[in-house]
Amino acid sequence: MAAMDVEDVFRAEYGRAVAVLVRFLGDIDLAEEAVQDAFTTALRSWPETGVPPSPAGWIITTARNRAIDRLRRESKRAERHAQAALLHGPGPLPEEGPVRDERLRLIFTCCHPALAVQARVALTLRLLGGLTTAQIARAFLVPEPTMAQRLVRAKAKIRNAGIPYRVPRDADLPDRLYGVLAVVYLIFNEGYGGSPDLCAQAVRLGRLLAELMPDEPEVTGLLALMLLVESRRPAREDADGALVPLPEQDRDRWDRDLIGEGQALLRRCLRRNQPGPYQIQAAIQAVHSDAPTAEATDWGQILRLYDQLMALAPSPVVALNRAVAVAEVEGPRHALDLVDDLDLDGYHVFHAVRADLLRRLGQDTVAVRAYEAAVALTRSPAERAFLQRRMRTLTR
């Protein structure tokens, strides 16, 4: 068995194992260290003994035993011995049934509203995604010590504030679930700007949530949304690595398997007739995926969906995206009037949309200034290069 095979098991089972160990140990750091020790042991032993019938069960049981051994080694007081004895129950720890609840508990703990949004993202990627601190830091363009401190502070907040390790009560679930979905979508959007690995992690977390909460239509809607957007990744760059905007993409390069899966999930949502923001956004992406050419896009339907989204979850960003649809249905002049009423001066997409509308209206000098503002604000090298290319077409 190759080390790569152990890494595959690590990615698939790390969150499951940590979730179970946190429940039994009551300590996130100890649970993480024990699971990491178990995978280190697997790297040494599995090439000789082969993969056990239940890799997750092996990892969980081995991690528990490592934690017990550590508690005993480090204990200097009788109560620590007692804690280790209580943990040393007979037989393997459960894998199915209760484990589903353990993972949900860990997700809601990582995304507790008492934690800062950045801490929620970091913890979710660390504990459920299995990413290293260095990987998370690189993805979010911050120094590794900065990310390490965020993780330390978040774990300390959970411990010191007594943040409960549980799924919220039914009455609290809708608000808390939306916070969880927002974290996953934030991870996806960060990755879409230039880190495919982050997008893959977000989709994996979306699949996990859909598995654990199959009766929540917004969970299914978010997964459908991410799959439909991700389906266009192969066409987002040309042979030279330059960004290709949606209207100019080669639609033959879109991933039809992801489109089919995303549309099937969306149809399942629609049958429930419980529309929510993520489902509506997924429906918008489905309209794009249905169009064989950019010219065939049903912008009237997209505009109606944005009207519905504005009624359910109004925000300046949604209004900006709606204005793009308005430009296609009613023309760029009306759309520009809508955009100019928005307070989004610190958002690079706002300036990019505004620049494009001004360009279409022949106001090249003002459009260049808008492109310059967008270039100054974007963090994505590919987007920056695209905007600069557009700007140069107006200054020749």
Side-chain angles (χ1 to χ4, degrees):
M1 178 182 181
M4 185 63 69
D5 297 321
V6 179
E7 291 175 8
D8 291 340
V9 175
F10 181 92
R11 282 190 292 270
E13 304 296 351
Y14 182 84
R16 176 195 299 250
V18 170
V20 173
L21 266 293
V22 169
R23 175 70 166 173
F24 277 80
L25 298 171
D27 185 312
I28 292 177
D29 285 324
L30 182 57
E32 273 201 282
E33 291 171 9
V35 171
Q36 289 165 8
D37 286 347
F39 275 105
T40 300
T41 303
L43 276 172
R44 291 197 301 266
S45 63
W46 287 4
E48 298 178 4
T49 63
V51 181
S54 173
W58 190 98
I59 291 294
I60 290 169
T61 301
T62 302
R64 180 194 62 181
N65 293 336
R66 291 289 183 274
I68 293 168
D69 290 343
R70 177 175 174 178
L71 287 171
R72 285 175 169 160
R73 280 197 313 271
E74 295 181 356
S75 87
K76 295 181 181 178
R77 296 177 296 178
E79 59 264 27
R80 282 301 237 178
H81 282 296
Q83 182 184 4
L86 286 172
L87 292 170
H88 207 338
L93 297 176
E95 283 186 68
E96 300 302 333
V99 174
R100 297 169 67 89
D101 294 333
E102 303 303 343
R103 284 182 289 176
L104 271 181
R105 287 188 181 101
L106 186 56
I107 289 170
F108 280 101
T109 300
C110 289
C111 299
H112 195 279
L115 300 173
V117 171
Q118 291 177 330
R120 295 181 215 173
V121 170
L123 270 181
T124 301
L125 288 172
R126 181 73 193 98
L127 300 183
L128 288 151
L131 271 65
T132 65
T133 304
Q135 288 172 322
I136 302 170
R138 282 198 300 272
F140 284 89
L141 305 177
V142 299
E144 185 176 347
T146 300
M147 186 57 67
Q149 281 301 310
R150 287 181 190 171
L151 288 165
V152 168
R153 286 195 295 268
K155 293 175 187 176
K157 179 77 177 258
I158 290 172
R159 181 178 61 251
N160 298 335
I163 290 175
Y165 180 67
R166 64 173 176 81
V167 178
R169 296 183 298 270
D170 287 347
D172 301 327
L173 185 58
D175 288 342
R176 287 288 308 281
L177 176 59
Y178 194 81
V180 170
L181 299 181
V183 165
V184 174
Y185 196 38
L186 174 60
I187 293 169
F188 182 82
N189 282 327
E190 286 285 339
Y192 204 68
S195 175
D197 287 344
L198 270 188
C199 284
Q201 285 296 327
V203 169
R204 194 166 73 80
L205 289 167
R207 291 189 187 282
L208 173 61
L209 280 169
E211 171 198 336
L212 297 176
M213 308 184 79
D215 295 327
E216 291 290 341
E218 275 293 82
V219 172
T220 306
L222 174 59
L223 178 57
L225 169 61
M226 293 190 295
L227 293 175
L228 290 168
V229 173
E230 185 66 7
S231 71
R232 300 198 290 267
R233 179 176 294 280
R236 284 192 78 225
E237 293 183 354
D238 63 17
D240 298 322
L243 187 66
V244 180
L246 176 60
E248 300 171 21
Q249 288 177 9
D250 178 357
R251 297 182 180 220
D252 289 337
R253 297 182 63 194
W254 288 0
D255 188 323
R256 292 295 157 183
D257 289 337
L258 289 183
I259 289 173
E261 184 182 0
Q263 290 185 336
L265 290 170
L266 181 59
R267 287 192 294 271
R268 187 192 309 170
C269 292
L270 294 176
R271 286 194 292 270
R272 289 181 174 274
N273 196 27
Q274 296 175 276
Y278 289 113
Q279 296 170 72
I280 295 172
Q281 290 178 76
I284 291 168
Q285 298 305 324
V287 175
H288 283 297
S289 69
D290 279 336
T293 65
E295 293 74 21
T297 303
D298 188 346
W299 284 103
Q301 185 179 0
I302 289 175
L303 181 55
R304 289 190 293 274
L305 286 166
Y306 271 119
D307 289 340
Q308 189 177 5
L309 185 58
M310 282 294 290
L312 276 178
S315 76
V317 173
V318 173
L320 177 66
N321 290 327
R322 180 183 177 277
V324 173
V326 168
E328 299 301 324
V329 175
E330 301 177 20
R333 167 52 61 192
H334 184 38
L336 183 61
D337 291 340
L338 296 173
V339 169
D340 283 342
D341 284 338
L342 299 175
D343 184 14
L344 287 170
D345 196 55
Y347 184 38
H348 76 278
V349 177
F350 164 77
H351 294 285
V353 168
R354 189 168 179 273
D356 186 63
L357 294 173
L358 289 163
R359 178 183 61 81
R360 290 167 64 178
L361 289 167
Q363 299 181 34
D364 292 358
T365 302
V366 188
V368 167
R369 290 201 294 271
Y371 277 125
E372 289 173 342
V375 167
L377 288 169
T378 185
R379 293 189 301 163
S380 166
E383 288 185 357
R384 185 179 301 113
F386 168 76
L387 293 167
Q388 288 170 333
R389 287 197 305 275
R390 280 288 173 91
M391 186 166 54
R392 283 195 294 271
T393 64
L394 301 178
T395 57
R396 289 172 180 167

